[in-house]
């Protein structure tokens, strides 16, 4: 009898401990959710205190070097589904020279069509900081409440700073160092300044949920058609896959990038990201044409399992239509992210791309999105029919029409 009583007592004790553990985990989860909700509400509030705190953060960031990390924690689907829903979507960009207006137009497209809180991580030369601050603070309050932002100085390792800054376009290689600078940030979506979102940013952010345990980043191919490929015809260094990668849109799980050991051809052992970049530069600097993008191709050539590949509508460039359409998914579903590389937003070589840029840049925030954005764009695209890209104009507006419809729906209750 005593034996049965002891067994009963042990079982009762185990059940009690299990219930206590489950209850403790539930309380912790609820507390975490409440903390994140409170943080999101605070960032949405347009109070003077928010602006003062953001200003202090920006001022403090100017004095931070590459090896003194800063940033706010941003969740990844792969690390915590709950945190990824409650915290802002991190969007990173690097702007130097005359890229202020182009960058602001990119950020505007992200705010116009997105429905989740965004956190802009803007890396810019010092003389551009005031321009970003003044422009972003001047946006209407209803749109200003949809994002928070941090402006950082350009920062490279001191022993190779000049080489890194002059690699390809000014400051472009800064993106390679984002995992080392923003060490408290889990994930970011990096985009070039000449990118425009034609559907919500959170849709590309959701690719994080498709990452397997090996993936650290996602990018789109440089070309869909090997006969047009640059890397497979001209490259003097290793590259990813059959046609290489385009790094203008790059989703990064930076926690994994910081912790992963990467296979390489510059050392006899696998190296961490922080130890890999400088040796790669020294080995290949005379053989690379597209700067940091080439270095990323070299890294993922040796570590292909670490990359998730985007379909072409998520990084649609002139290469996809300049000699005829070679992005079938965009033809069918529309362009999701427009990438106007080669300066096509600012010349007359590809009027279809320039039409999208001009309409978004000139669109007044408070205007009707159908009459002020979609209708004028469709009319302007008709004048581009003499080009191959212009003949595919339906691809430029197919998904955008849905985004505008969603924008119009979200505006209606506010206007009522």
């Amino acid at each position: 009898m005593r034996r049965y009583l002891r067994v009963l007592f042990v079982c009762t004790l185990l059940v009690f401990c299990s219930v206590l553990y489950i209850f403790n985990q539930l309380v912790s989860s609820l507390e975490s959710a409440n903390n994140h909700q409170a943080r999101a509400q605070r960032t949405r509030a347009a109070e003077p205190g928010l602006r003062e705190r953001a200003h202090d953060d920006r001022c403090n960031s100017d004095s931070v070097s590459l090896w003194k990390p800063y940033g706010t924690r941003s969740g990844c689907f792969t690390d915590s589904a709950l945190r990824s829903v409650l915290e802002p979507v991190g969007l990173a960009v690097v702007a130097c020279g005359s890229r202020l207006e182009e960058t602001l137009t990119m950020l505007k497209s992200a705010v116009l069509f997105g429905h989740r809180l965004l956190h802009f991580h803007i890396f810019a030369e010092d003389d551009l900081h005031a321009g970003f601050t003044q422009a972003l603070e001047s946006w209407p309050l209803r749109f200003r409440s949809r994002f928070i932002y941090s402006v950082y100085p350009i920062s490279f390792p001191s022993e190779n700073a000049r080489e890194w800054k002059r690699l390809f376009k000014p400051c472009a290689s800064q993106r390679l160092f984002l995992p080392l600078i923003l060490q408290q940030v889990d994930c970011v979506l990096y985009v070039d300044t000449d990118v425009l979102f034609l559907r919500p940013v959170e849709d590309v952010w959701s690719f994080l949920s498709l990452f397997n345990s090996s993936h650290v980043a996602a990018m789109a191919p440089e070309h869909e058609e090997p006969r047009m490929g640059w890397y497979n015809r001209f490259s003097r260094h290793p590259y990813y896959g059959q046609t290489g990668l385009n790094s203008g849109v790059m989703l990064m799980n930076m926690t994994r990038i910081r912790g992963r050991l990467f296979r390489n051809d510059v050392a006899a052992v696998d190296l961490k990201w922080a130890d890999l970049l400088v040796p790669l530069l020294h080995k290949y600097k005379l053989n690379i044409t597209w700067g940091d993008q080439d270095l990323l191709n070299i890294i993922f050539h040796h570590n292909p399992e670490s990359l998730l590949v985007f379909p072409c509508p998520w990084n649609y460039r002139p290469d996809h239509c300049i000699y005829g359409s070679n992005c079938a998914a965009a033809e069918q579903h529309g362009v999701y992210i427009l990438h106007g590389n080669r300066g096509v937003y600012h010349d007359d070589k590809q009027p279809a791309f320039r039409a999208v840029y001009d309409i978004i840049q000139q669109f007044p925030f408070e205007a009707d999105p159908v009459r002020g954005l979609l209708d004028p764009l469709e009319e302007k695209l008709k004048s581009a029919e003499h080009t191959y890209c212009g003949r595919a104009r339906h691809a430029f507006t197919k998904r955008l029409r849905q985004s505008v419809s969603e924008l119009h729906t979200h505006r209606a209750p506010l206007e009522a």
Side-chain angles (χ1 to χ4, degrees):
M1 185 67 180
R2 290 180 180 177
R3 182 182 304 171
Y4 292 127
L5 289 175
R6 283 198 294 268
V7 171
L8 179 62
F9 174 78
V10 171
C11 292
T12 303
L13 184 61
L14 288 174
V15 170
F16 175 78
C17 291
S18 299
V19 170
L20 184 62
Y21 174 79
I22 294 172
F23 178 78
N24 182 61
Q25 292 297 308
L26 179 60
V27 170
S28 299
S29 298
L30 290 174
E31 288 177 350
S32 176
N34 289 336
N35 289 338
H36 289 305
Q37 287 175 336
R39 186 189 313 173
Q41 291 171 356
R42 286 196 300 271
T43 57
R44 286 183 174 90
E47 298 177 352
L50 173 63
R51 292 195 180 94
E52 290 173 4
R53 185 171 71 246
H55 176 72
D56 290 340
D57 290 344
R58 294 191 296 273
C59 291
N60 292 338
S61 70
D62 287 342
S63 62
V64 180
S65 71
L66 177 65
W67 311 114
K68 294 181 181 178
Y70 48 92
T72 57
R73 192 168 183 82
S74 175
C76 293
F77 278 89
T78 48
D79 296 328
S80 170
L82 175 63
R83 193 170 71 232
S84 68
V85 171
L86 295 175
E87 291 202 359
V89 171
L91 181 61
V93 65
V94 179
C96 289
S98 60
R99 299 287 181 145
L100 174 63
E101 192 60 44
E102 186 176 85
T103 307
L104 288 169
T105 304
M106 179 276 291
L107 298 175
K108 182 180 182 180
S109 72
V111 171
L112 275 177
F113 304 122
H115 308 301
R116 280 193 44 192
L117 183 68
L118 304 173
H119 187 168
F120 298 150
H121 298 279
I122 304 169
F123 289 79
E125 291 177 310
D126 293 346
D127 58 351
L128 298 181
H129 288 202
F132 278 113
T133 301
Q134 292 169 8
L136 294 174
E137 294 289 347
S138 71
W139 287 2
L141 181 60
R142 184 160 60 87
F143 294 92
R144 177 67 185 87
S145 65
R146 297 182 186 178
F147 66 92
I148 56 178
Y149 68 96
S150 305
V151 181
Y152 312 99
I154 300 298
S155 180
F156 293 109
S158 57
E159 64 272 20
N160 302 100
R162 179 171 294 184
E163 284 183 282
W164 285 117
K165 187 168 184 178
R166 298 174 63 181
L167 190 65
F168 191 45
K169 295 180 181 178
C171 306
S173 58
Q174 179 74 87
R175 89 184 80 183
L176 296 174
F177 297 93
L178 296 184
L180 309 182
I181 300 173
L182 301 175
Q183 289 200 13
Q184 300 305 310
V185 178
D186 291 330
C187 292
V188 296
L189 173 65
Y190 167 86
V191 295
D192 286 347
T193 61
D194 52 9
V195 156
L196 292 172
F197 293 95
L198 304 187
R199 68 180 292 175
V201 181
E202 56 265 29
D203 291 348
V204 65
W205 187 257
S206 69
F207 273 90
L208 288 167
S209 65
L210 302 181
F211 277 28
N212 63 28
S213 59
S214 298
H215 292 147
V216 304
M219 285 182 277
E222 174 69 13
H223 289 282
E224 302 299 314
E225 173 53 61
R227 289 175 299 176
M228 298 172 55
W230 190 92
Y231 282 106
N232 54 295
R233 291 188 296 161
F234 305 116
S235 175
R236 296 179 293 163
H237 59 78
Y239 56 89
Y240 177 89
Q242 190 175 12
T243 60
L245 298 166
N246 184 280
S247 59
V249 179
M250 182 178 180
L251 187 60
M252 307 167 71
N253 185 322
M254 300 200 297
T255 298
R256 289 184 176 180
I257 290 176
R258 286 187 289 265
R260 187 66 51 87
L261 289 171
F262 293 90
R263 296 187 297 276
N264 61 86
D265 58 2
V266 293
V269 297
D270 295 350
L271 296 175
K272 285 199 169 185
W273 191 268
D275 302 318
L276 180 59
L277 298 178
V278 172
L280 278 180
L281 175 65
H282 287 163
K283 178 171 182 175
Y284 287 107
K285 64 182 177 181
L286 299 180
N287 295 323
I288 57 178
T289 302
W290 309 111
D292 52 302
Q293 176 174 290
D294 289 350
L295 296 181
L296 289 169
N297 267 279
I298 295 168
I299 292 172
F300 288 107
H301 167 84
H302 294 291
N303 302 271
E305 75 288 347
S306 296
L307 187 79
L308 177 70
V309 178
F310 286 140
C312 53
W314 298 96
N315 187 352
Y316 189 88
R317 304 179 307 283
D319 306 86
H320 291 117
C321 57
I322 191 170
Y323 301 118
S325 178
N326 59 71
C327 178
E331 290 278 339
Q332 183 177 359
H333 304 291
V335 174
Y336 302 154
I337 297 179
L338 192 70
H339 185 182
N341 61 339
R342 302 179 182 173
V344 295
Y345 292 152
H346 312 293
D347 59 33
D348 297 321
K349 294 179 180 178
Q350 295 299 330
F353 280 78
R354 181 164 185 171
V356 180
Y357 177 84
D358 287 345
I359 291 296
I360 292 178
Q361 193 228 357
Q362 296 164 13
F363 173 69
F365 274 105
E366 302 290 358
D368 178 80
V370 175
R371 288 176 293 182
L373 196 156
L374 186 60
D375 289 348
L377 175 59
E378 291 183 328
E379 186 63 31
K380 197 167 186 176
L381 284 172
K382 292 178 182 178
S383 63
E385 286 185 331
H386 62 285
T387 66
Y388 281 114
C389 291
R391 293 172 193 170
R393 68 178 189 274
H394 65 281
F396 289 77
T397 57
K398 190 165 188 176
R399 185 50 177 84
L400 181 62
R401 180 180 294 277
Q402 182 179 338
S403 299
V404 167
S405 176
E406 294 168 357
L407 179 60
H408 197 270
T409 300
H410 279 76
R411 285 172 54 90
L414 295 172
E415 292 173 349

